[in-house]
């Protein structure tokens, strides 16, 4: 295993489609819930401890070798909004393509065949980490970090927010990221023994509701 | 349920010339260039010129609307199932160059849904003079500028102007009204591009898109002969 693979996978420029998604930030900006760096920090904290934790646990479980088909069903069950399910599958499909080009394995090929329209992105992320020789903790770090870095980058574009302020928000969240990853990996290990029912299921209702509204806007900058 | 690890037809990763079933895929031609230079109008004219002889489809990369796709749908240049809009997160140049995954999905889905196809045209929403298509996405690219954007653009160059497989200088009909010197634009383009071809066109004129359509036919013939 090489730790540096984590840097490649977690790099915001990893070409897996994330740049077109705001992680709910576009809807929150329009609704007036994000107006600056302080609100962005609140938004990211909320997302980290809900959708971020679930994604990190799913990614950790996939990296441990849990059945991706079962994990994908578990992700569906934890994603009430059809728009968010669709976005997660689109991103999963894009990620599996990038992953197969970067760290080719029979397991990723099987995933691409089994889910021609994409599996949930965190599940793919966990299998990608596995293919890159990384463990559940690294997979969970990637998922948890993406859950906040996506909205932060998008807000820089949406509000012309000072990019230094947005990056500082992410830096301040680092200790909480550590905690979320710890919880996620513990849950992933339980899921490996007892099945995906052991994975956390904490949703953020406002993210789900706003995602449905956002998907119906005729004009938007981001796909989700 | 578990995943099957034995099945042969695995989806393509990138620019492979063949589809998973072994058939040759369509040639992919990208059209980029500054805002409003006439990319969508050129795509529409190409569809009208080629749709009776070729099986073709279009992917648009809009900045924040579906306007290019909707224009093509409204004009009915192709049946709706042959036109797909990719959402780019306000960054067409990222979606056509740095992270091409959404566009690759779009071209593959089009081949699955309405294929076999001979030609897929990919339009990038008007971006800037440095926006070029990745070679992992397209087989050839056209850069469209116009006479109204200033007649010193060919002289200033930039990767689109200097390296595109075809440079189109559009809206020549407007040259007298905007004071653009066509001869100078052609000479500057030649100097910047060496042997690479340049077409001066007006879609309002009689010849319209004919030269570009001929260029596309030649590229397709070369692609078919090779793959
Ligand atoms: N006079 C003249 N107008 C043209 C010509 N080609 C296109 N136009 C007009 O120029 C305008 C912009 O054309 P589009 O095809 O939408 O330009 P575009 O490059 O697709 O624009 P974006 O996608 O917004 O970057 C439209 O009003 C066209 O009708 C031409 O050859 N002559
Ligand atoms: Mg256009």
């Amino acid at each position: 295993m090489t730790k540096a693979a984590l840097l490649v996978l977690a790099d915001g420029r990893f070409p897996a489609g994330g740049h077109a998604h705001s992680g709910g930030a576009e809807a929150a900006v329009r609704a007036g819930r994000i107006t600056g760096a302080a609100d962005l920090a609140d938004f990211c904290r909320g997302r980290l401890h809900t959708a971020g934790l679930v994604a990190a646990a799913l990614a950790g479980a996939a990296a441990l070798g849990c059945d991706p088909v079962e994990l994908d069903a578990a992700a569906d069950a934890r994603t009430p909004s059809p728009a968010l399910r669709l976005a997660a599958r689109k991103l999963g499909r894009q990620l599996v393509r990038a992953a197969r080009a970067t760290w080719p394995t029979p397991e990723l090929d099987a995933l691409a065949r089994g889910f021609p329209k994409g599996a949930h992105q965190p599940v793919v992320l966990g299998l990608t980490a596995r293919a890159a020789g990384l463990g559940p903790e690294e997979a969970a770090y990637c998922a948890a970090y993406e859950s906040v870095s996506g909205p932060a980058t998008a807000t820089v574009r949406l509000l012309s927010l000072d990019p230094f302020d947005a990056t500082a928000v992410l830096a301040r969240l680092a200790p909480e990221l550590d905690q979320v990853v710890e919880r996620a990996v513990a849950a992933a290990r339980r899921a490996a023994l007892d099945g995906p029912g052991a994975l956390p299921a904490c949703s953020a209702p406002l993210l789900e509701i706003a995602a449905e509204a956002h998907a119906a806007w005729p004009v938007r900058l981001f796909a989700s | 349920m578990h995943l099957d690890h034995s099945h042969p037809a695995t989806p393509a990763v990138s620019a492979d010339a063949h589809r998973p079933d072994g058939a040759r895929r369509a040639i992919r031609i990208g059209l980029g260039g500054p805002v409003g230079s006439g990319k969508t109008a050129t795509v529409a004219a190409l569809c009208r010129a080629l749709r009776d002889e070729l099986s073709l489809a279009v992917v648009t990369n809009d900045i924040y609307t579906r306007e290019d796709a909707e224009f093509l749908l409204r004009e009915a240049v192709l049946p709706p199932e042959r036109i797909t809009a990719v959402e780019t997160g306000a960054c067409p140049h990222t979606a056509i160059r740095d992270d091409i995954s959404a566009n690759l999905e779009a071209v593959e889905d089009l081949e699955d849904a309405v294929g076999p196809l001979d030609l897929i045209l990919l339009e990038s929403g008007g971006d800037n003079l440095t926006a070029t298509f990745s070679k992992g996405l397209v087989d050839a690219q056209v850069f469209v500028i116009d006479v109204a954007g200033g007649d010193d653009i060919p002289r200033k160059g930039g990767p689109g102007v200097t390296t595109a497989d075809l440079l189109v200088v559009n809206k020549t009909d407007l040259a007298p009204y905007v004071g653009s010197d066509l001869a100078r634009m052609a000479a500057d383009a030649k100097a910047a591009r060496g042997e690479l071809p340049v077409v001066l066109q007006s879609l309002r004129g009689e010849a319209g898109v004919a030269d570009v359509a001929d260029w596309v036919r030649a590229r397709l013939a070369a692609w078919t002969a090779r793959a």
Side-chain angles (χ1 to χ4, degrees):
Chain A
M1 173 189 133
T2 156
K3 273 228 163 182
L6 175 60
L7 300 179
V8 178
L9 183 56
D11 190 332
R13 284 164 300 185
F14 192 75
H19 70 95
H21 295 258
S22 78
E26 184 169 28
V29 165
R30 169 84 70 91
R33 289 192 285 273
I34 303 178
T35 58
D39 300 339
L40 174 64
D42 291 346
F43 179 89
C44 288
R45 180 170 294 108
R47 192 160 195 264
L48 174 64
H49 288 279
T50 54
L53 173 64
V54 173
L58 283 163
L64 281 169
C66 294
D67 179 6
V69 179
E70 279 183 18
L71 290 178
D72 186 72
D76 253 349
R78 286 159 177 74
T79 314
S81 152
L84 283 185
R85 289 185 187 184
L86 187 68
R89 289 187 183 285
K90 270 195 187 162
L91 285 169
R93 185 178 174 199
Q94 289 173 257
L95 176 57
V96 82
R97 176 190 302 276
R100 285 173 60 226
T102 320
W103 294 288
T105 62
E107 214 170 49
L108 288 172
D109 288 348
L111 185 72
R113 281 194 304 270
F115 292 92
K117 296 286 166 204
H120 276 263
Q121 195 267 3
V123 179
V124 183
L125 184 58
L127 279 175
T128 304
R130 198 173 148 82
L134 297 167
E137 196 176 33
E138 287 85 6
Y141 263 108
C142 275
Y145 180 64
E146 273 180 11
S147 78
V148 291
S149 63
T153 317
T155 304
V156 170
R157 288 198 216 159
L158 288 160
L159 289 178
S160 303
L161 188 71
D162 182 334
F164 297 124
D165 289 343
T167 304
V169 164
L170 295 176
R172 306 268 135 68
L173 281 171
E176 283 180 61
L177 265 153
D178 288 341
Q179 292 162 12
V180 164
V181 166
E182 204 173 304
R183 286 170 62 199
V185 173
R189 292 198 193 283
R190 279 197 303 280
L193 297 174
D194 306 335
L199 295 171
C202 35
S203 86
L206 204 49
L207 278 179
E208 304 277 338
I209 294 165
E212 285 302 304
H214 179 267
W217 293 1
V219 175
R220 52 174 192 250
L221 289 179
F222 290 90
S224 77
Chain B
M1 198 188 89
H2 288 266
L3 290 175
D4 168 20
H5 282 249
S6 61
H7 193 275
T10 306
V13 169
S14 188
D16 327 3
H18 292 86
R19 315 243 320 127
D21 63 6
R24 182 174 42 79
R25 65 162 173 79
I27 187 172
R28 303 169 188 158
I29 296 184
L31 292 98
V35 178
S37 61
K39 298 176 293 296
T40 305
T42 299
V43 167
L46 282 173
C47 289
R48 290 193 185 97
L50 299 171
R51 66 190 172 194
D52 293 334
E53 59 192 273
L54 301 176
S55 175
L56 75 161
V58 174
V59 176
T60 61
N61 284 268
D62 282 322
I63 301 181
Y64 56 86
T65 62
R66 293 174 39 88
E67 221 147 284
D68 284 337
E70 270 157 20
F71 176 84
L72 297 170
L73 289 168
R74 226 172 24 246
E75 294 282 305
V77 295
L78 289 178
E81 64 275 15
R82 287 175 181 261
I83 300 170
T84 298
V86 165
E87 287 179 287
T88 65
C91 269
H93 60 267
T94 305
I96 62 163
R97 185 186 58 206
D98 308 299
D99 183 350
I100 57 178
S101 49
N103 271 285
L104 287 170
E105 239 95 272
V107 293
E108 287 168 15
D109 285 352
L110 280 168
E111 296 228 39
D112 286 341
V114 298
L117 293 168
D118 302 305
L119 167 68
I120 300 179
L121 299 172
L122 295 99
E123 178 186 347
S124 166
D127 206 304
N128 54 46
L129 288 172
T130 62
T132 50
F133 285 83
S134 163
K135 291 192 169 73
L137 177 61
V138 301
D139 304 297
Q141 50 192 309
V142 182
F143 202 70
V144 182
I145 60 174
D146 68 11
V147 302
D151 60 5
D152 50 357
I153 287 184
R155 184 184 52 74
K156 286 186 195 154
V161 167
T162 53
T163 67
D165 299 286
L166 178 68
L167 178 69
V168 174
V169 181
N170 192 34
K171 308 191 191 177
T172 51
D173 53 297
L174 298 182
Y177 308 104
V178 296
S180 281
D181 180 344
L182 286 179
R184 203 186 107 211
M185 288 185 90
D188 288 347
K190 171 107 186 82
R193 292 171 53 77
E195 294 305 305
L196 290 169
V198 181
V199 163
L200 279 74
Q201 78 173 11
S202 163
L203 293 174
R204 299 284 150 85
E206 188 140 335
V209 84
D211 287 346
V212 179
D214 282 343
W215 178 86
V216 169
R217 287 187 190 94
R219 293 304 296 217
L220 177 60
W223 169 255
T224 315
R226 184 172 68 94

